[in-house]
Amino acid sequence: METKIFKVTKDSLDILREASKLLNSGELVAFPTETVYGLGANAYDGKSCSNIFLAKGRPSDNPLIVHISSPEQAENIAYTCDLYYKLAKAFMPGPLTVILPKKDIIPSEVTAGLATVAIRCPKNEVANKLIEISNIPIAAPSANASGKPSPTCAKHVYDDLNGKIPMILDGGSSEFGVESTVITIKNDVITILRPGSITKEMLGHVSKNVQIAPAVKEELRADEQALSPGMKYKHYAPNASLYLIDDKSIDFIKFTSKMQRLENCAVMCYDEEINLLENKNLLPVGKEKDIKKQTKNLFNLLRSADDLGVDTVYAHLPKDDGESLAIYNRMIRACAHRVLTSEEQHKGGTNG
Ligand code: TXA
Ligand code: MG
């Protein structure tokens, strides 16, 4: 199948109509959102949604997010509650996904057999217009091949899914760069299953009771059931071995300079550190304090690491709170929990 890419804005009505025709006839369309690109199908059509899993190579027990163009549309597909509407008032449209009990109209292919459905109202004019014109809710995971970093531009989608889907809508690079914050709500308690740009502190303005699921920061124990199936899969992993350096106990520049001499490695450094390192395979993440920029760059840099063909990648261990938690969560999984807290711990080479 030929994969066509179209540059779009919300006013590209002809192209958006063509995309909605494809969706309504059971095909898949990749589209931009403010977080990452999504791979969309008609959420009412189980067969189309199962094709998403095929195109991505996604495990069939990992459910999809259903995208709507206004918070009230949740009524068609889920059982809402007061807290849902409080959250909607504060954060929708925006990078927040809320898990609610599902209605029968949503096929089990979307929810991987769960009794709940994930709902999100994206804040991206193209995404919104596409949902509106299509007149259906759109089920969409991130538009990457399963296991790869989520795509933050149309080229990433093309690199992963060329030949597998008919259309990619190119709306430029994603505003936020990490996937939405995924939460469950029970009575007045909000639990964060996946951290994103809507932080615990921000959610705290809507409910006093916000907790973070343990698997956000730690490895899931073998006997532990994932609250969100996505938690149990290895994700975002570059081909090279990624190590996170705890710079409270290791001098980052001294250590990575040494590794630059000893290994075929890349270094994800702060902009301020560029001149302190050898100018070879550097992947600057942004200024140390500029968490927004670092978030936006993250997946592109993890993809670039693969293009460099290095054996190892070194990066700072991100902070695990506030806006940084989203980066921490992705990086800790990308490195398969290889965090270096002392130089002695590191054997060097590519055996990690
Ligand atoms: O920003 C985003 O959320 C992007 C854009 C395209 O909207 N989408 C995205 O989808 O990241 P995906 O499929 O890559 O991640 C969805 C996450 C997975 O970890 C999945 O396990 C979880 O949401 N999820 C979906 N439905 C769920 C449910 N009913 N219960 C628990 N977790 C659920
Ligand atoms: Mg994904």
Side-chain angles (χ1 to χ4, degrees):
M1 165 186 321
E2 191 194 349
T3 302
K4 291 191 182 140
I5 307 186
F6 294 94
K7 284 214 180 331
V8 281
T9 68
K10 68 172 189 344
D11 300 318
S12 313
L13 292 182
D14 286 346
I15 299 168
L16 290 172
R17 276 194 206 102
E18 200 179 324
S20 79
K21 243 194 244 160
L22 284 169
L23 289 169
N24 276 288
S25 63
E27 303 279 349
L28 309 183
V29 173
F31 62 97
T33 84
E34 78 280 29
T35 55
V36 300
Y37 275 69
L39 178 59
N42 176 355
Y44 292 145
D45 179 351
K47 176 84 184 32
S48 309
C49 291
S50 60
N51 285 334
I52 290 179
F53 291 84
L54 288 179
K56 279 180 60 95
R58 181 180 176 99
S60 59
D61 66 347
N62 195 6
L64 310 175
I65 296 175
V66 176
H67 297 70
I68 52 182
S69 59
S70 74
E72 300 73 34
Q73 287 167 11
E75 297 301 335
N76 299 331
I77 54 186
Y79 296 95
T80 61
C81 57
D82 285 352
L83 183 51
Y84 168 77
Y85 280 105
K86 280 189 200 153
L87 288 161
K89 189 160 176 243
F91 303 115
M92 291 184 196
L96 181 70
T97 295
V98 184
I99 313 261
L100 293 171
K102 87 174 195 69
K103 290 190 172 166
D104 286 344
I105 192 164
I106 291 296
S108 63
E109 286 86 349
V110 171
T111 60
L114 296 177
T116 50
V117 61
I119 291 179
R120 162 158 142 73
C121 180
K123 190 179 187 172
N124 172 286
E125 290 180 325
V126 171
N128 254 284
K129 199 81 193 168
L130 179 66
I131 301 166
E132 238 176 77
I133 294 183
S134 303
N135 204 21
I136 42 169
I138 299 181
S142 49
N144 51 289
S146 198
K148 293 267 255 166
S150 293
T152 54
C153 63
K155 181 180 180 296
H156 295 163
V157 181
Y158 188 81
D159 288 345
D160 284 12
L161 301 178
N162 177 26
K164 297 187 170 158
I165 58 172
M167 188 188 255
I168 300 171
L169 299 177
D170 178 357
S173 40
S174 309
E175 181 188 345
F176 289 100
V178 285
E179 309 89 340
S180 61
T181 304
V182 177
I183 60 170
T184 58
I185 52 184
K186 205 172 211 174
N187 303 323
D188 257 347
V189 183
I190 297 176
T191 305
I192 299 178
L193 304 186
R194 181 177 71 184
S197 298
I198 307 254
T199 61
K200 179 176 185 223
E201 293 69 27
M202 291 160 78
L203 292 165
H205 294 301
V206 177
S207 167
K208 290 269 162 305
N209 241 321
V210 187
Q211 54 190 37
I212 298 175
V216 165
K217 294 192 191 182
E218 293 150 23
E219 248 170 319
L220 213 57
R221 292 189 314 271
D223 61 341
E224 195 179 351
Q225 179 157 22
L227 287 174
S228 174
M231 284 175 168
K232 65 181 186 226
Y233 294 109
K234 188 177 170 191
H235 250 95
Y236 320 116
N239 296 325
S241 306
L242 172 66
Y243 290 90
L244 302 185
I245 316 265
D246 185 350
D247 50 24
K248 285 199 294 296
S249 47
I250 296 181
D251 182 325
F252 186 84
I253 295 297
K254 211 171 121 210
F255 178 78
T256 51
S257 301
K258 185 168 102 192
M259 288 306 150
Q260 282 190 312
R261 289 191 300 274
L262 295 176
E263 290 178 356
N264 177 24
C265 66
V267 182
M268 294 173 72
C269 61
Y270 298 133
D271 288 359
E272 296 90 331
E273 295 170 327
I274 295 172
N275 292 330
L276 306 174
L277 289 157
E278 191 188 331
N279 185 13
K280 193 179 78 184
N281 296 335
L282 295 184
L283 299 167
V285 298
K287 292 218 170 78
E288 179 171 1
K289 299 260 179 287
D290 193 348
I291 305 299
K292 283 202 168 55
K293 172 102 178 280
Q294 290 174 33
T295 307
K296 198 175 159 132
N297 283 341
L298 180 65
F299 290 146
N300 190 35
L301 290 177
L302 288 177
R303 281 178 181 257
S304 312
D306 281 340
D307 298 339
L308 292 174
V310 293
D311 301 319
T312 40
V313 180
Y314 296 100
H316 288 276
L317 174 68
K319 291 208 173 66
D320 65 354
D321 57 10
E323 284 183 303
S324 266
L325 179 62
I327 304 183
Y328 177 90
N329 169 262
R330 278 36 169 214
M331 288 294 270
I332 201 85
R333 299 173 78 198
C335 79
H337 293 263
R338 277 186 292 244
V339 177
L340 300 179
T341 52
S342 76
E343 282 198 42
E344 295 72 50
Q345 193 188 342
H346 187 49
K347 310 223 170 18
T350 59
N351 54 353

